[in-house]
Amino acid sequence: MTPRHVAVIDIGKTNAKLALVDATDMSEVEVLTRPNMVLAAPPYPHFDVEAIWRFLLDGLEQFQKAHGVDAISITTHGASCALIAPDGALAAPILDYEHTGPNDLAAAYDAIRPPFEETGSPRLPMGLNLGAQLHWQFEQDPALRERTAAIVTYPQYWGHRLTGVPASDVSSLGCHTDLWNPSKAHYSSLVERLGISEKMAPARKSAEVLGPVLPQVASQTGLRFDTPVHCGIHDSNASLLPHVLTRTGPFSVVSTGTWVIAMTVGGEEVTLEPSRDTLLNVNALGAPVPSARFMGGREFELAMNGQTTQCAEQFLDLVAKDGHMLLPAMVPDSGPFQGQKHSWMGSEPLPGTQERAAAVSFYLGLMTAECLSLTGHKGPIIVEGPFARNKGFASMLAAATNCRVDATVTATGTSQGAALLATGALPEHAAFDVETYFHKTDVSYQRYANSWHRAAKAGLEPRP
């Protein structure tokens, strides 16, 4: 029987969310959110999972009382895992992947990590390669390996707390971890080199059922004792899933949030460039997906000085003609222009002005277009998440790619995609409000895109 109400645990890097999705139309019946806090406490900065757990239990109880919960699904950010002790508790806190500790052992890790050709994972700083996190944690605490009975990827940490069943999922393992071989669909050679082959939890498809909720969870929340918990999925792949199930390629999906992830299905054959933050993601069905990314949400916050200025269309047209232009990169540690320092071409608009909002939106659209070009993009572009409501972003993305952009403006994409793990199919009357953008007849947008592209590319050229 298809569940009616699916509770989706949706843990992003910035916020934790619990959504109740109605499977008849994929609408969000109720949504609860809280900040995803990092605790600056020994032994290293780590996620406040106990606060999130209390938030989830309270929310599940609220949903069950008000509507009933028929199934639970999970989606989270990538680059995180949990080390589970024999008693089921954490053997160590869950490391914040932005901690710089793993950089201290970069040379030693580089000596053992597999090549890009094996894993599809680019070498990334801090703990963005999950293998680098594990290497650093075990070196920092030699007794940790013995204390660890199982290693699970992050969506499955929450699944483990709900069901007691250890697992990993293919989409999280395929997210620049260095731990997965996408072409062979099994763990990479790094797992053996780290000495954790017997500790890695079984890799399962995202839609599989881990089991029913534990009796104590049912007692605390009022959930039925047989409420199924699905394995879970990496968040950008949750955005991709509805389109994988309903479309034929070529097309691309752009998942936006703290990270902007461009994923191409059925595009041109390309050689991925790991130095430009391209990678092979793995979708919920286990298939490799050429992808590229940059820290778009973080760049927006930095460029806007934390302000969320709205921008009228007349200011978009004005900036496209006058040429206020932000060049990459606001976050130079990742993305297609790594190592480049951001700059303004022409005058820099003042913070808090609509001109600055327009220029920053254009910058994000052009960075996304660059990511898409690296993945062999063809066909329509579907934008999910917060940037789907940004007209400047979508308009410039359409101009720079000369492709139709479908912006899903009333849904996050991640919660609906995760709910599909429980339902198996998108309903005919799914509640997705889409705004479509086409290449503007106003040539100023195309000229702006061409100028930006030339100036950004110049920064990639080796200097004498």
Side-chain angles (χ1 to χ4, degrees), residues 51-374:
I52 294 176
W53 181 240
R54 292 190 296 271
F55 160 75
L56 294 175
L57 291 178
D58 290 345
L60 288 169
E61 180 182 23
Q62 180 177 322
F63 287 177
Q64 177 65 15
K65 284 180 179 177
H67 310 281
V69 174
D70 302 309
I72 298 173
S73 188
I74 307 160
T75 182
T76 75
H77 61 77
S80 293
C81 69
L83 309 180
I84 306 297
D87 65 357
L90 283 174
I94 297 178
L95 175 69
D96 174 17
Y97 64 66
E98 292 188 85
H99 180 49
T100 58
N103 291 342
D104 298 338
L105 299 178
Y109 179 66
D110 288 343
I112 64 170
R113 72 181 291 267
F116 181 80
E117 290 72 23
E118 179 184 342
T119 64
S121 296
R123 182 65 171 104
L124 301 172
M126 302 176 290
L128 284 165
N129 294 121
L130 194 50
Q133 283 188 40
L134 292 169
H135 175 258
W136 181 78
Q137 285 178 289
F138 292 142
E139 290 295 317
Q140 291 292 112
D141 182 357
L144 178 57
R145 188 180 274 100
E146 286 303 312
R147 297 202 309 271
T148 300
I151 301 172
V152 303
T153 39
Y154 196 38
Q156 291 69 50
Y157 167 69
W158 300 106
H160 181 266
R161 293 201 70 158
L162 289 165
T163 68
V165 177
S168 293
D169 85 277
V170 292
S171 72
S172 295
L173 288 167
C175 178
H176 52 78
T177 65
D178 287 341
L179 300 170
W180 190 249
N181 184 325
S183 61
K184 295 187 176 179
H186 63 62
Y187 285 110
S188 76
S189 57
L190 179 63
V191 171
E192 186 173 345
R193 291 173 197 163
L194 289 173
I196 56 175
S197 297
E198 303 303 315
K199 300 181 185 294
M200 293 301 299
R204 302 175 65 168
K205 296 288 181 67
S206 298
E208 290 184 33
V209 175
L210 292 180
V213 294
L214 291 165
Q216 58 264 40
V217 172
S219 297
Q220 285 180 271
T221 60
L223 294 170
R224 297 192 326 271
F225 283 78
D226 63 349
T227 303
V229 179
H230 292 261
C231 184
I233 188 169
H234 173 236
D235 53 10
S236 60
N237 267 289
S239 296
L240 179 64
L241 182 57
H243 308 288
V244 168
L245 295 178
T246 59
R247 295 175 183 258
T248 56
F251 65 88
S252 293
V253 173
V254 176
S255 173
T256 69
T258 302
W259 289 93
V260 172
I261 318 286
M263 299 165 284
T264 292
V265 175
E268 300 279 2
E269 188 170 334
V270 292
T271 299
L272 295 177
E273 300 179 50
S275 64
R276 303 195 67 195
D277 218 344
T278 63
L279 66 150
L280 276 181
N281 265 304
V282 176
N283 70 23
L285 308 181
V289 180
S291 305
R293 44 176 236 147
F294 71 106
M295 219 169 187
R298 183 68 50 78
E299 292 200 314
F300 178 81
E301 292 174 3
L302 292 171
M304 292 295 291
N305 296 94
Q307 301 180 48
T308 55
T309 307
Q310 297 297 313
C311 184
E313 189 159 358
Q314 70 192 69
F315 285 93
L316 297 176
D317 294 341
L318 177 66
V319 169
K321 290 181 173 67
D322 289 352
H324 300 291
M325 192 173 292
L326 176 59
L327 296 173
M330 291 298 299
V331 178
D333 290 338
S334 60
F337 297 98
Q338 292 178 47
Q340 291 187 205
K341 182 175 173 58
H342 78 274
S343 62
W344 285 91
M345 194 161 77
S347 60
E348 176 181 350
L350 291 173
T353 62
Q354 295 195 56
E355 288 89 347
R356 191 179 185 93
V360 172
S361 298
F362 287 171
Y363 166 83
L364 296 169
L366 290 160
M367 287 284 283
T368 302
E370 185 70 15
C371 287
L372 287 166
S373 72
L374 295 170

Side-chain angles (χ1 to χ4, degrees), residues 411-422:
T412 64
T414 53
S415 295
Q416 285 75 11
L420 281 177
L421 301 179

Side-chain angles (χ1 to χ4, degrees), residues 376-391:
H377 160 74
K378 292 197 311 183
I381 301 164
I382 303 97
V383 178
E384 305 277 7
F387 288 4
R389 295 181 287 277
N390 185 320
K391 289 182 181 293

